[in-house]
Amino acid sequence: MRFFFITWLFIGCYTLSYTQIITIKNQKGEPIEFVTLTSDNSKAFVITNSKGKADISAFKDARKIEIRMLGYQTELKSYAELKATDFLFLLTQLNISLDEMVFSATRWNQSSSEIPAKISTISPKEVKLQNPQTAADLLNVSGKIFIQKSQQGGGSPMIRGFATNRLLYTIDGVRMNTAIFRSGNIQNVISLDPFAIEHIEIFFGSGSVIYGSDAIGGVMSFQTLTPTLKDSTTHFISGNAATRYSSANNEKTGHLDLNLGWRKVALITSWSFNDYGDLVMGSFGPKEYLRPFYVERIGNKDEIIINSNQQIQNPSGYTQLNTMQKLRYKPNGNWDIQYGFHYSETSEYSRYDRHIRYKNGQPRYGEWSYGPQKWMMNNLDISYTDSNLFFDEMNIKLAQQYFEESRLSRDINKLNREVRIEKVDAYSSNLDFTKSLHEKNKLFYGAEVIWNNVTSLGIDENIITGESKNGATRYPKSDWSSYAVYLSNQHKFSEKWLLQSGVRYNQFVLNAVFDTTFYPFPFTSANVNNGALTGSIGTVFHPTEKWVLSTNFATAFRSPNVDDIGKVFDSSPGFVVVPNPSLKAEYAYNADVNIAKIFADVVKIDFSAYYTILQDAMVKRDFTLNGADSIMYDGTMSKVQALQNAAVAQVYGIQSGIEIKFAKGFSISSDFNYQIGEEEVDDGTISPSRHAPPWFGNTKLTYKSKKTTIQVYVVYSGEKKFEDLPLEEQQKPEIYAIDKNGKPWSPSWHTINFKAMYQFSNYFSASAGIENITDIRYRTYSSGIVAPGRNFVIGLNLRF
């Protein structure tokens, strides 16, 4: 019904307009894709397609049109000047640039050199060269995000000492975080398809003014493929077909996307399928990481099977399907309407870190898996441009999302399987505006409404008889909602200096009803209705065109969600976490300083220093349930804990990068991240923060010619000795190496890698690589699964 309604709307709307196409090429006459053209005069924005073409009808008579592309000289031209070139414009390539177009800072396209906060992007060319298996691996390409994995079907980013529900994800500007995003490691990001993503931004630091709850450590913004309209009198057809094989997990992947474009209507379809086998670890490293045996159900008994190859992490394989459909209608230069449908589903996949947990010297579990992870999103995006008293640009986003995740666990040689299923229906609406008060002052303002409904099911089933009964649910029946308004102002004092400030008020409401059938909670409901006020102020100063200094001060918050208030779970052996309905929001106060400078058009350095303090942090502390400090949980007498606003945490660190361009296509770049996180524990002492990884980074040597790209790079991370591990991590010896004193620790590691790509023609390219050439055996900090050993990767891409 929704599709027919939208189709009727498109057919029913007809607006007379003309089309003016511009072609952007480099000095060699080659078309340039992803060039952005913007104008404050006409409030228009377009991006060139794969042929370097874009419709600039909306720019007619504009006095200033900014033409921008990373790696090229930014140009400022009038519509009349472009007309004089017969709408064929050549950009001059730069060795290095400080500037690019970004979206995540204000929900509107802006120059990155006008943003006080640090923003990093991942270029499509780098993604194509690296050919990452999952969206988590895609984020790892940046060299600025640390990725934790409990299992192969996982990937939990850590940014500036924060992770999980203290980071925010957006897809096409729509919030992905739900009311059950937990403080433990999450893997929702793997629901995204790297082949269907055309642009990625990482906003570092507090982003609550624009994005609300959870945006404490940063915001990861994913923009998926946009339907491309035609650029001639005939319809426009384009697409990509890709395939990839990886040896470390016998991965087999296929992808296809197809774009059909007419003058006013375009659609794009994307489909990907991934088949990942059991992951093989490296040959040289800690012997504790080896997998000597695994559990297999044979007949009516769980048998412990000797692993013929202890480097194979059995069980860890899974499959995944992603599909996307987008429809776009652009009747004229004022309106742009897009509808998107996204669907992702994995197979059941084992939680590997649970399979290496032991009890009395034997595997504790006969099975422990996540059920199929499902994500679906319908979103309608309406943009309108027309200067009036209230706004110059307006954007409306309406979205409906469905999330489903489940857990299946059974102790070894026990007949009872516990199945826990969580479903979330998430609805959101965003209304965003821009308004230029005069040439030096611009407002960004808007409103947001979010509503999540959480349904949790508990089933206990006998694996022999098939009989099932109700079991304890993971969450109470609940709903969570958020209502917010925000205002941000950018004022340019001069061409060199600007100030950006903002404020947001957010009201959040949570209602939960508890079932006391299985746990004798001293309450049957929880209700939260509180507000949060956040703000930011930052400045950007350009001493010259090749030097930028910025500072940013911002507050952020995270409201308690259903996972915080209502969950019962085992955090570690002998401990059980129970609900605490009296939680309130935690607040973060962040300051950072950023410097970037270009030397002689061949060297670029950037440096950031930051400090964040988190007050009223929600942390696990000892608790009582009906006066008892321990209860029987999952057959084990377990000490009772609950999340409480009981701590102050702080994170501080630096991020630095350097890029050097040499002659004849050679370049070298490096990123380095160092962070320290600390939080209070029960007795008032200080413990390292769980989500502040050791120092990490990468260094890349790259060669580029017209058809060939070759890259040799090193990825590295520091160690965490036992005394530097958070107290919670010290209780997980199964995922760490053992030091000479018999204590768990996380060793340092580095991998040497090689990637190459060759463009046979405008339509066909091939890529190949060897990851972890020296075949070391390593486990990234806090991860359950061991990283891949030597991995041969080959990919083919057909573009038409």
Short mmCIF file of all heavy atoms in Angstrom, two decimals, residues 225-280:
data_model
loop_
_atom_site.label_atom_id
_atom_site.label_comp_id
_atom_site.label_asym_id
_atom_site.label_seq_id
_atom_site.Cartn_x
_atom_site.Cartn_y
_atom_site.Cartn_z
N LEU A 225 23.80 4.48 -1.21
CA LEU A 225 23.75 4.89 -2.61
C LEU A 225 22.52 5.74 -2.90
O LEU A 225 21.41 5.44 -2.45
CB LEU A 225 23.74 3.65 -3.51
CG LEU A 225 24.97 2.74 -3.43
CD1 LEU A 225 24.74 1.47 -4.23
CD2 LEU A 225 26.22 3.46 -3.90
N THR A 226 22.72 6.81 -3.67
CA THR A 226 21.64 7.71 -4.05
C THR A 226 21.24 7.47 -5.49
O THR A 226 22.12 7.40 -6.37
CB THR A 226 22.09 9.18 -3.88
OG1 THR A 226 22.49 9.41 -2.53
CG2 THR A 226 20.96 10.13 -4.25
N PRO A 227 19.96 7.31 -5.78
CA PRO A 227 19.54 7.14 -7.18
C PRO A 227 19.98 8.33 -8.02
O PRO A 227 19.83 9.49 -7.62
CB PRO A 227 18.01 7.06 -7.07
CG PRO A 227 17.74 6.61 -5.67
CD PRO A 227 18.83 7.22 -4.84
N THR A 228 20.53 8.05 -9.20
CA THR A 228 21.06 9.09 -10.08
C THR A 228 20.08 9.36 -11.22
O THR A 228 19.67 8.44 -11.93
CB THR A 228 22.42 8.65 -10.67
OG1 THR A 228 23.32 8.35 -9.59
CG2 THR A 228 23.02 9.75 -11.52
N LEU A 229 19.74 10.64 -11.40
CA LEU A 229 18.86 11.04 -12.49
C LEU A 229 19.63 11.08 -13.80
O LEU A 229 20.86 11.10 -13.82
CB LEU A 229 18.26 12.41 -12.19
CG LEU A 229 17.41 12.50 -10.91
CD1 LEU A 229 17.15 13.95 -10.56
CD2 LEU A 229 16.10 11.74 -11.08
N LYS A 230 18.93 11.11 -14.91
CA LYS A 230 19.57 11.12 -16.22
C LYS A 230 20.27 12.46 -16.46
O LYS A 230 19.94 13.48 -15.84
CB LYS A 230 18.55 10.87 -17.31
CG LYS A 230 17.64 12.06 -17.56
CD LYS A 230 16.93 11.93 -18.88
CE LYS A 230 16.25 13.25 -19.23
NZ LYS A 230 15.70 13.26 -20.58
N ASP A 231 21.24 12.44 -17.37
CA ASP A 231 21.93 13.67 -17.73
C ASP A 231 21.84 13.95 -19.23
O ASP A 231 22.62 14.69 -19.79
CB ASP A 231 23.40 13.61 -17.30
CG ASP A 231 24.10 12.36 -17.82
OD1 ASP A 231 23.77 11.92 -18.93
OD2 ASP A 231 24.95 11.81 -17.11
N SER A 232 20.89 13.31 -19.89
CA SER A 232 20.71 13.53 -21.33
C SER A 232 19.24 13.32 -21.67
O SER A 232 18.40 13.16 -20.80
CB SER A 232 21.60 12.56 -22.12
OG SER A 232 21.20 11.21 -21.87
N THR A 233 18.95 13.28 -22.95
CA THR A 233 17.56 13.14 -23.37
C THR A 233 17.07 11.70 -23.28
O THR A 233 15.88 11.45 -23.44
CB THR A 233 17.41 13.61 -24.83
OG1 THR A 233 18.32 12.86 -25.65
CG2 THR A 233 17.74 15.10 -24.94
N THR A 234 17.97 10.75 -23.07
CA THR A 234 17.57 9.35 -22.93
C THR A 234 17.66 8.93 -21.47
O THR A 234 18.22 9.64 -20.65
CB THR A 234 18.47 8.44 -23.78
OG1 THR A 234 19.83 8.58 -23.34
CG2 THR A 234 18.37 8.82 -25.25
N HIS A 235 17.13 7.78 -21.15
CA HIS A 235 17.21 7.30 -19.78
C HIS A 235 18.64 6.87 -19.46
O HIS A 235 19.45 6.59 -20.35
CB HIS A 235 16.23 6.15 -19.55
CG HIS A 235 16.50 4.94 -20.36
ND1 HIS A 235 16.07 4.81 -21.66
CD2 HIS A 235 17.17 3.79 -20.07
CE1 HIS A 235 16.46 3.64 -22.14
NE2 HIS A 235 17.12 3.00 -21.19
N PHE A 236 18.94 6.82 -18.20
CA PHE A 236 20.30 6.58 -17.72
C PHE A 236 20.32 5.23 -16.99
O PHE A 236 19.55 5.00 -16.07
CB PHE A 236 20.72 7.71 -16.78
CG PHE A 236 22.05 7.49 -16.11
CD1 PHE A 236 23.23 7.62 -16.82
CD2 PHE A 236 22.11 7.20 -14.74
CE1 PHE A 236 24.45 7.44 -16.19
CE2 PHE A 236 23.34 7.01 -14.12
CZ PHE A 236 24.51 7.15 -14.84
N ILE A 237 21.21 4.34 -17.42
CA ILE A 237 21.36 3.03 -16.78
C ILE A 237 22.80 2.86 -16.34
O ILE A 237 23.73 3.07 -17.13
CB ILE A 237 20.97 1.88 -17.73
CG1 ILE A 237 19.53 2.03 -18.20
CG2 ILE A 237 21.15 0.53 -17.03
CD1 ILE A 237 19.12 0.96 -19.20
N SER A 238 22.99 2.49 -15.11
CA SER A 238 24.35 2.21 -14.62
C SER A 238 24.25 1.16 -13.52
O SER A 238 23.17 0.85 -13.02
CB SER A 238 25.00 3.48 -14.08
OG SER A 238 24.29 3.96 -12.94
N GLY A 239 25.39 0.62 -13.16
CA GLY A 239 25.38 -0.39 -12.10
C GLY A 239 26.76 -0.93 -11.81
O GLY A 239 27.76 -0.54 -12.44
N ASN A 240 26.80 -1.80 -10.82
CA ASN A 240 28.03 -2.47 -10.41
C ASN A 240 27.75 -3.94 -10.12
O ASN A 240 26.72 -4.27 -9.51
CB ASN A 240 28.62 -1.83 -9.15
CG ASN A 240 29.26 -0.49 -9.40
OD1 ASN A 240 30.40 -0.39 -9.83
ND2 ASN A 240 28.50 0.57 -9.13
N ALA A 241 28.66 -4.79 -10.54
CA ALA A 241 28.62 -6.20 -10.16
C ALA A 241 29.99 -6.53 -9.58
O ALA A 241 31.02 -6.18 -10.16
CB ALA A 241 28.32 -7.09 -11.36
N ALA A 242 30.00 -7.16 -8.41
CA ALA A 242 31.27 -7.44 -7.74
C ALA A 242 31.24 -8.82 -7.10
O ALA A 242 30.17 -9.32 -6.71
CB ALA A 242 31.56 -6.37 -6.67
N THR A 243 32.41 -9.41 -7.01
CA THR A 243 32.56 -10.68 -6.30
C THR A 243 33.88 -10.67 -5.56
O THR A 243 34.83 -9.97 -5.97
CB THR A 243 32.50 -11.88 -7.28
OG1 THR A 243 32.54 -13.10 -6.55
CG2 THR A 243 33.66 -11.83 -8.26
N ARG A 244 33.96 -11.43 -4.45
CA ARG A 244 35.17 -11.43 -3.63
C ARG A 244 35.36 -12.80 -2.98
O ARG A 244 34.39 -13.47 -2.59
CB ARG A 244 35.08 -10.35 -2.55
CG ARG A 244 36.33 -10.26 -1.66
CD ARG A 244 36.19 -9.18 -0.60
NE ARG A 244 35.05 -9.40 0.27
CZ ARG A 244 34.11 -8.51 0.53
NH1 ARG A 244 34.15 -7.33 -0.03
NH2 ARG A 244 33.12 -8.79 1.34
N TYR A 245 36.62 -13.20 -2.85
CA TYR A 245 36.96 -14.42 -2.12
C TYR A 245 38.08 -14.11 -1.14
O TYR A 245 39.04 -13.40 -1.47
CB TYR A 245 37.42 -15.53 -3.07
CG TYR A 245 37.94 -16.75 -2.33
CD1 TYR A 245 37.05 -17.67 -1.78
CD2 TYR A 245 39.30 -16.94 -2.15
CE1 TYR A 245 37.50 -18.76 -1.06
CE2 TYR A 245 39.77 -18.04 -1.43
CZ TYR A 245 38.87 -18.95 -0.89
OH TYR A 245 39.33 -20.02 -0.19
N SER A 246 37.95 -14.63 0.10
CA SER A 246 38.98 -14.48 1.13
C SER A 246 39.31 -15.86 1.68
O SER A 246 38.41 -16.65 1.99
CB SER A 246 38.51 -13.56 2.25
OG SER A 246 38.18 -12.29 1.77
N SER A 247 40.61 -16.14 1.84
CA SER A 247 41.03 -17.49 2.21
C SER A 247 40.91 -17.78 3.71
O SER A 247 40.68 -18.93 4.10
CB SER A 247 42.48 -17.72 1.77
OG SER A 247 43.37 -16.84 2.44
N ALA A 248 41.06 -16.75 4.57
CA ALA A 248 41.11 -17.00 6.02
C ALA A 248 39.80 -17.54 6.57
O ALA A 248 39.79 -18.21 7.60
CB ALA A 248 41.50 -15.71 6.76
N ASN A 249 38.70 -17.24 5.91
CA ASN A 249 37.40 -17.79 6.34
C ASN A 249 36.61 -18.36 5.15
O ASN A 249 35.40 -18.53 5.25
CB ASN A 249 36.57 -16.73 7.07
CG ASN A 249 36.35 -15.48 6.23
OD1 ASN A 249 36.89 -15.35 5.13
ND2 ASN A 249 35.57 -14.55 6.75
N ASN A 250 37.33 -18.63 4.07
CA ASN A 250 36.70 -19.20 2.88
C ASN A 250 35.48 -18.37 2.48
O ASN A 250 34.44 -18.90 2.10
CB ASN A 250 36.30 -20.66 3.14
CG ASN A 250 36.02 -21.42 1.85
OD1 ASN A 250 36.58 -21.11 0.79
ND2 ASN A 250 35.13 -22.39 1.92
N GLU A 251 35.63 -17.04 2.55
CA GLU A 251 34.53 -16.13 2.26
C GLU A 251 34.20 -16.12 0.77
O GLU A 251 35.09 -16.06 -0.09
CB GLU A 251 34.88 -14.71 2.69
CG GLU A 251 33.78 -13.70 2.38
CD GLU A 251 34.31 -12.37 1.85
OE1 GLU A 251 35.51 -12.30 1.53
OE2 GLU A 251 33.52 -11.42 1.76
N LYS A 252 32.92 -16.15 0.48
CA LYS A 252 32.43 -16.03 -0.90
C LYS A 252 31.32 -14.98 -0.89
O LYS A 252 30.30 -15.14 -0.23
CB LYS A 252 31.90 -17.38 -1.40
CG LYS A 252 32.99 -18.46 -1.46
CD LYS A 252 32.43 -19.81 -1.79
CE LYS A 252 31.74 -20.45 -0.60
NZ LYS A 252 32.67 -20.82 0.48
N THR A 253 31.55 -13.89 -1.60
CA THR A 253 30.63 -12.75 -1.60
C THR A 253 30.27 -12.35 -3.02
O THR A 253 31.12 -12.36 -3.92
CB THR A 253 31.28 -11.55 -0.86
OG1 THR A 253 31.27 -11.80 0.54
CG2 THR A 253 30.52 -10.26 -1.13
N GLY A 254 29.00 -11.99 -3.21
CA GLY A 254 28.54 -11.47 -4.49
C GLY A 254 27.69 -10.23 -4.28
O GLY A 254 26.98 -10.11 -3.28
N HIS A 255 27.78 -9.29 -5.21
CA HIS A 255 27.03 -8.03 -5.09
C HIS A 255 26.59 -7.56 -6.47
O HIS A 255 27.31 -7.70 -7.46
CB HIS A 255 27.87 -6.94 -4.44
CG HIS A 255 27.27 -5.57 -4.57
ND1 HIS A 255 26.23 -5.14 -3.78
CD2 HIS A 255 27.53 -4.55 -5.44
CE1 HIS A 255 25.88 -3.91 -4.14
NE2 HIS A 255 26.65 -3.53 -5.14
N LEU A 256 25.40 -6.93 -6.51
CA LEU A 256 24.89 -6.32 -7.72
C LEU A 256 24.06 -5.10 -7.35
O LEU A 256 23.22 -5.17 -6.45
CB LEU A 256 24.02 -7.31 -8.52
CG LEU A 256 23.33 -6.75 -9.78
CD1 LEU A 256 24.38 -6.41 -10.85
CD2 LEU A 256 22.33 -7.76 -10.32
N ASP A 257 24.32 -3.98 -8.00
CA ASP A 257 23.41 -2.83 -7.87
C ASP A 257 23.13 -2.28 -9.26
O ASP A 257 23.99 -2.30 -10.15
CB ASP A 257 23.96 -1.76 -6.93
CG ASP A 257 25.23 -1.10 -7.41
OD1 ASP A 257 25.16 -0.31 -8.37
OD2 ASP A 257 26.30 -1.37 -6.84
N LEU A 258 21.91 -1.79 -9.45
CA LEU A 258 21.45 -1.30 -10.75
C LEU A 258 20.70 0.00 -10.55
O LEU A 258 19.81 0.10 -9.71
CB LEU A 258 20.53 -2.34 -11.41
CG LEU A 258 19.95 -1.97 -12.78
CD1 LEU A 258 21.06 -1.87 -13.82
CD2 LEU A 258 18.90 -3.00 -13.20
N ASN A 259 21.08 1.02 -11.33
CA ASN A 259 20.45 2.34 -11.27
C ASN A 259 19.76 2.64 -12.59
O ASN A 259 20.34 2.50 -13.66
CB ASN A 259 21.50 3.42 -10.99
CG ASN A 259 20.88 4.80 -10.80
OD1 ASN A 259 20.72 5.25 -9.67
ND2 ASN A 259 20.55 5.50 -11.88
N LEU A 260 18.49 3.03 -12.52
CA LEU A 260 17.73 3.48 -13.68
C LEU A 260 17.31 4.92 -13.44
O LEU A 260 16.70 5.23 -12.41
CB LEU A 260 16.49 2.61 -13.91
CG LEU A 260 16.73 1.13 -14.21
CD1 LEU A 260 15.40 0.40 -14.33
CD2 LEU A 260 17.54 0.97 -15.50
N GLY A 261 17.65 5.82 -14.37
CA GLY A 261 17.34 7.22 -14.17
C GLY A 261 16.67 7.85 -15.36
O GLY A 261 17.07 7.61 -16.52
N TRP A 262 15.66 8.65 -15.09
CA TRP A 262 15.01 9.48 -16.09
C TRP A 262 15.20 10.94 -15.69
O TRP A 262 15.97 11.24 -14.78
CB TRP A 262 13.53 9.12 -16.19
CG TRP A 262 13.29 7.76 -16.77
CD1 TRP A 262 13.06 7.44 -18.07
CD2 TRP A 262 13.26 6.52 -16.05
NE1 TRP A 262 12.89 6.08 -18.21
CE2 TRP A 262 13.00 5.49 -16.99
CE3 TRP A 262 13.42 6.16 -14.71
CZ2 TRP A 262 12.91 4.15 -16.64
CZ3 TRP A 262 13.34 4.83 -14.34
CH2 TRP A 262 13.09 3.84 -15.31
N ARG A 263 14.50 11.85 -16.33
CA ARG A 263 14.71 13.26 -16.02
C ARG A 263 14.31 13.60 -14.59
O ARG A 263 15.00 14.35 -13.90
CB ARG A 263 13.93 14.14 -17.00
CG ARG A 263 13.99 15.62 -16.66
CD ARG A 263 13.31 16.46 -17.70
NE ARG A 263 14.08 16.49 -18.95
CZ ARG A 263 13.77 17.25 -20.00
NH1 ARG A 263 12.72 18.04 -19.94
NH2 ARG A 263 14.51 17.22 -21.09
N LYS A 264 13.19 13.06 -14.14
CA LYS A 264 12.69 13.42 -12.81
C LYS A 264 12.62 12.25 -11.83
O LYS A 264 12.46 12.46 -10.63
CB LYS A 264 11.30 14.04 -12.93
CG LYS A 264 11.26 15.33 -13.74
CD LYS A 264 9.85 15.87 -13.85
CE LYS A 264 9.82 17.14 -14.69
NZ LYS A 264 8.45 17.69 -14.80
N VAL A 265 12.69 11.07 -12.33
CA VAL A 265 12.54 9.87 -11.50
C VAL A 265 13.76 8.96 -11.68
O VAL A 265 14.26 8.80 -12.80
CB VAL A 265 11.25 9.10 -11.85
CG1 VAL A 265 11.14 7.82 -11.02
CG2 VAL A 265 10.03 9.97 -11.64
N ALA A 266 14.23 8.40 -10.59
CA ALA A 266 15.33 7.43 -10.65
C ALA A 266 15.10 6.40 -9.56
O ALA A 266 14.47 6.67 -8.53
CB ALA A 266 16.68 8.12 -10.48
N LEU A 267 15.63 5.21 -9.78
CA LEU A 267 15.56 4.18 -8.76
C LEU A 267 16.85 3.38 -8.77
O LEU A 267 17.55 3.30 -9.79
CB LEU A 267 14.35 3.27 -8.95
CG LEU A 267 14.21 2.48 -10.26
CD1 LEU A 267 14.92 1.14 -10.17
CD2 LEU A 267 12.73 2.27 -10.57
N ILE A 268 17.17 2.81 -7.64
CA ILE A 268 18.37 1.98 -7.52
C ILE A 268 18.03 0.76 -6.69
O ILE A 268 17.30 0.84 -5.69
CB ILE A 268 19.55 2.77 -6.91
CG1 ILE A 268 20.85 1.97 -7.03
CG2 ILE A 268 19.29 3.15 -5.47
CD1 ILE A 268 22.10 2.78 -6.72
N THR A 269 18.55 -0.38 -7.12
CA THR A 269 18.37 -1.63 -6.41
C THR A 269 19.76 -2.19 -6.08
O THR A 269 20.65 -2.19 -6.94
CB THR A 269 17.60 -2.65 -7.27
OG1 THR A 269 16.30 -2.14 -7.55
CG2 THR A 269 17.47 -3.98 -6.54
N SER A 270 19.94 -2.66 -4.85
CA SER A 270 21.22 -3.22 -4.43
C SER A 270 20.97 -4.55 -3.74
O SER A 270 20.01 -4.69 -2.96
CB SER A 270 21.94 -2.26 -3.49
OG SER A 270 23.12 -2.84 -2.97
N TRP A 271 21.84 -5.52 -4.01
CA TRP A 271 21.72 -6.86 -3.42
C TRP A 271 23.11 -7.40 -3.14
O TRP A 271 24.01 -7.30 -3.99
CB TRP A 271 20.98 -7.78 -4.38
CG TRP A 271 20.86 -9.21 -3.93
CD1 TRP A 271 19.86 -9.77 -3.23
CD2 TRP A 271 21.81 -10.26 -4.18
NE1 TRP A 271 20.12 -11.11 -3.01
CE2 TRP A 271 21.30 -11.44 -3.59
CE3 TRP A 271 23.04 -10.32 -4.85
CZ2 TRP A 271 21.99 -12.65 -3.64
CZ3 TRP A 271 23.72 -11.53 -4.90
CH2 TRP A 271 23.18 -12.68 -4.30
N SER A 272 23.32 -7.95 -1.95
CA SER A 272 24.60 -8.57 -1.59
C SER A 272 24.37 -9.84 -0.79
O SER A 272 23.44 -9.90 0.03
CB SER A 272 25.47 -7.61 -0.76
OG SER A 272 25.84 -6.47 -1.50
N PHE A 273 25.23 -10.81 -1.01
CA PHE A 273 25.18 -12.05 -0.22
C PHE A 273 26.60 -12.41 0.20
O PHE A 273 27.53 -12.38 -0.62
CB PHE A 273 24.57 -13.19 -1.02
CG PHE A 273 24.51 -14.48 -0.23
CD1 PHE A 273 23.53 -14.66 0.74
CD2 PHE A 273 25.43 -15.49 -0.45
CE1 PHE A 273 23.49 -15.84 1.48
CE2 PHE A 273 25.40 -16.67 0.28
CZ PHE A 273 24.41 -16.84 1.25
N ASN A 274 26.75 -12.76 1.50
CA ASN A 274 28.05 -13.13 2.06
C ASN A 274 27.97 -14.51 2.69
O ASN A 274 27.02 -14.80 3.42
CB ASN A 274 28.51 -12.14 3.12
CG ASN A 274 28.35 -10.70 2.69
OD1 ASN A 274 27.35 -10.07 3.01
ND2 ASN A 274 29.32 -10.17 1.98
N ASP A 275 28.96 -15.33 2.42
CA ASP A 275 29.07 -16.65 3.04
C ASP A 275 30.45 -16.74 3.69
O ASP A 275 31.47 -16.79 3.00
CB ASP A 275 28.91 -17.74 1.97
CG ASP A 275 28.91 -19.15 2.57
OD1 ASP A 275 29.24 -19.31 3.76
OD2 ASP A 275 28.59 -20.11 1.83
N TYR A 276 30.47 -16.71 5.03
CA TYR A 276 31.71 -16.75 5.78
C TYR A 276 31.86 -18.12 6.46
O TYR A 276 30.97 -18.53 7.22
CB TYR A 276 31.75 -15.67 6.85
CG TYR A 276 31.45 -14.27 6.36
CD1 TYR A 276 30.25 -13.64 6.66
CD2 TYR A 276 32.38 -13.57 5.60
CE1 TYR A 276 29.97 -12.36 6.23
CE2 TYR A 276 32.11 -12.28 5.15
CZ TYR A 276 30.90 -11.69 5.47
OH TYR A 276 30.64 -10.41 5.03
N GLY A 277 32.97 -18.80 6.21
CA GLY A 277 33.24 -20.05 6.89
C GLY A 277 33.91 -19.81 8.24
O GLY A 277 34.08 -18.67 8.67
N ASP A 278 34.28 -20.87 8.94
CA ASP A 278 34.98 -20.74 10.21
C ASP A 278 36.30 -20.00 9.99
O ASP A 278 37.04 -20.26 9.03
CB ASP A 278 35.26 -22.11 10.82
CG ASP A 278 34.00 -22.79 11.33
OD1 ASP A 278 33.04 -22.07 11.66
OD2 ASP A 278 33.97 -24.04 11.40
N LEU A 279 36.59 -19.08 10.90
CA LEU A 279 37.76 -18.21 10.77
C LEU A 279 39.03 -18.93 11.25
O LEU A 279 39.04 -19.54 12.32
CB LEU A 279 37.53 -16.93 11.57
CG LEU A 279 38.58 -15.83 11.43
CD1 LEU A 279 38.64 -15.32 9.99
CD2 LEU A 279 38.27 -14.68 12.39
N VAL A 280 40.10 -18.80 10.47
CA VAL A 280 41.38 -19.42 10.81
C VAL A 280 42.32 -18.36 11.36
O VAL A 280 42.55 -17.32 10.73
CB VAL A 280 42.01 -20.09 9.57
CG1 VAL A 280 43.35 -20.73 9.94
CG2 VAL A 280 41.06 -21.13 8.99
#
